Amino acid sequence: MENNVFTTYVLYSEKFNKHYTGSTSDIQKRLLSHQELGNKDWTKKYRPWKLIFTKEFTNKSDARKFEKWLKTGVGRDFIKQLPH
């Protein structure tokens, strides 16, 4: 059965006080990639990451639109208000 859930997410690195925003159709696999697997990934140098926010969508387009909004000034302000 095909996965029809797309997740926009925010990670936080306490060690470096950094946020990372992304979207995926497989949140568990993507988190594993950020935490352990990716070697050329920007997120590698800021490990470990803590998942601080997720929002699910029924299509990729909406997930990407919300991810793009989170990367705007208003979206970054929203992220700063999230509990770490």
Side-chain angles (χ1 to χ4, degrees), residues 3-30:
N3 178 8
N4 291 328
V5 175
F6 298 88
T7 306
T8 300
Y9 61 93
V10 178
L11 303 176
Y12 178 66
S13 168
E14 291 180 333
K15 186 175 180 181
F16 295 97
N17 192 32
K18 294 265 186 202
H19 290 95
Y20 178 84
T21 303
S23 57
T24 182
S25 61
D26 187 339
I27 188 69
Q28 295 305 321
K29 185 176 178 182
R30 193 69 182 115

Side-chain angles (χ1 to χ4, degrees), residues 2-66:
E2 190 176 320
N3 178 8
N4 291 328
V5 175
F6 298 88
T7 306
T8 300
Y9 61 93
V10 178
L11 303 176
Y12 178 66
S13 168
E14 291 180 333
K15 186 175 180 181
F16 295 97
N17 192 32
K18 294 265 186 202
H19 290 95
Y20 178 84
T21 303
S23 57
T24 182
S25 61
D26 187 339
I27 188 69
Q28 295 305 321
K29 185 176 178 182
R30 193 69 182 115
L31 291 174
L32 180 64
S33 176
H34 286 306
Q35 296 288 31
E36 298 175 21
L37 301 177
N39 289 323
K40 296 180 181 176
D41 198 70
W42 178 86
T43 58
K44 179 184 177 185
K45 59 187 165 189
Y46 299 110
R47 291 175 183 160
W49 291 98
K50 182 164 85 169
L51 182 65
I52 62 167
F53 177 82
T54 61
K55 183 170 179 161
E56 293 183 347
F57 298 88
T58 56
N59 64 68
K60 185 177 184 176
S61 176
D62 288 345
R64 295 285 290 156
K65 284 178 192 172
F66 189 69

